[in-house]
Amino acid sequence: MINKISSIILIALMAVFISGCGLDNGTASDLPANSGQNKKPASNEVKEIYGMMENIERLNLFVENAQTGKDDKVRLTRYTIEGDPIFHDLAYHDSKLTIKIDNTEDKFGQGEVTTYVCKGIQKQESETETKYILEECPDLTDLLTISHDVDKEDYFAFELKYGVSKKNVINTVEQKLIKDLQNGETVAVSDFQFSKKEMNAIYKLMIFSNYLGE
């Protein structure tokens, strides 16, 4: 019974986090201007801010388009700890992938724009990390690695309230679950715990939703 409840709650969590994310299914014709780390990314821009991600769905779409031979462009903007952007402009055309890395706005960078030509790109996923790998790309292999391993955090716990009047409660700090039966009654489960696999999956959704953002 607990496993069944756990699975239902995990699905609910996915719905909560994913509902905040939109995906533009069109391809990009022009790359965006620098919008800064505190503004919503453009439809063809992905942001990585201190390990948190915004609009990661657009990078996934780019990978899918490249693997099916469809021309596409996307910008990955990665911010340094000082808040400076480093732009990674990716373009797939004529069965090759071009990536231009621009760190001219990084105060501690080399002030260079470097271009690489690769064969393609692929996404590799495990329970604890998601990697975007460039294929047959001289001097450059890993585009992006996102860790979602709760064991690497000093402490990871959360409280989530959702549903009508926020009567449904998941509290991993107190290991408590309250489920609204929608008939005026609630049922409580004490000593409730997610499995390590489920916690990693939840943490992944939080990272991909930039839960630390404004």
Side-chain angles (χ1 to χ4, degrees):
M1 180 64 177
I2 292 297
N3 287 337
K4 182 177 180 181
I5 292 175
S6 178
S7 297
I8 293 172
I9 294 303
L10 183 58
I11 292 172
L13 276 164
M14 290 180 178
V16 169
F17 290 118
I18 292 174
S19 65
C21 303
L23 175 60
D24 182 354
N25 289 321
T27 57
S29 57
D30 297 302
L31 293 171
N34 182 13
S35 61
Q37 68 181 65
N38 294 322
K39 293 184 179 180
K40 182 179 179 181
S43 62
N44 57 341
E45 180 185 24
V46 181
K47 290 185 178 182
E48 190 250 333
I49 307 170
Y50 318 136
M52 299 293 110
M53 302 302 305
E54 290 190 27
N55 204 25
I56 191 67
E57 297 87 357
R58 187 60 184 85
L59 183 58
N60 292 334
L61 178 60
F62 177 84
V63 173
E64 179 182 329
N65 286 338
Q67 291 179 343
T68 56
K70 186 176 181 180
D71 287 1
D72 198 4
K73 293 180 181 179
V74 71
R75 165 170 283 179
L76 168 64
T77 305
R78 307 184 70 178
Y79 288 88
T80 67
I81 194 66
E82 296 82 16
D84 298 329
I86 299 176
F87 305 109
H88 300 67
D89 293 337
L90 296 99
Y92 187 82
H93 179 67
D94 285 343
S95 300
K96 66 180 181 182
L97 186 149
T98 302
I99 175 171
K100 181 176 70 174
I101 301 178
D102 180 350
N103 64 13
T104 55
E105 295 189 31
D106 178 10
K107 291 188 292 290
F108 297 94
Q110 301 296 319
E112 298 176 343
V113 178
T114 309
T115 300
Y116 302 88
V117 178
C118 318
K119 180 180 179 181
I121 185 172
Q122 59 176 287
K123 181 174 73 169
Q124 297 178 354
E125 294 182 279
S126 70
E127 183 180 320
T128 57
E129 67 178 15
T130 300
K131 301 181 70 172
Y132 294 85
I133 307 297
L134 299 169
E135 300 174 317
E136 297 184 23
C137 199
D139 303 319
L140 191 65
T141 304
D142 295 346
L143 173 67
L144 178 66
T145 298
I146 308 165
S147 173
H148 34 82
D149 185 356
V150 295
D151 282 341
K152 290 186 177 180
E153 301 300 321
D154 293 333
Y155 181 70
F156 176 73
F158 62 91
E159 181 182 25
L160 175 67
K161 297 181 179 180
Y162 66 98
V164 179
S165 301
K166 303 296 186 291
K167 292 182 179 180
N168 297 284
V169 179
I170 306 170
N171 188 328
T172 66
V173 180
E174 300 177 2
Q175 298 184 348
K176 179 174 63 177
L177 168 68
I178 300 175
K179 183 71 176 70
D180 181 14
L181 300 180
Q182 299 183 349
N183 61 359
E185 298 180 359
T186 60
V187 59
V189 178
S190 60
D191 197 27
F192 174 80
Q193 297 183 49
F194 285 109
S195 69
K196 183 61 65 62
K197 182 178 181 180
E198 289 168 333
M199 288 293 277
N200 283 331
I202 292 167
Y203 188 37
K204 177 181 179 180
L205 287 167
M206 288 181 170
I207 289 173
F208 284 7
S209 300
N210 189 24
Y211 77 101
L212 293 179
E214 294 185 357

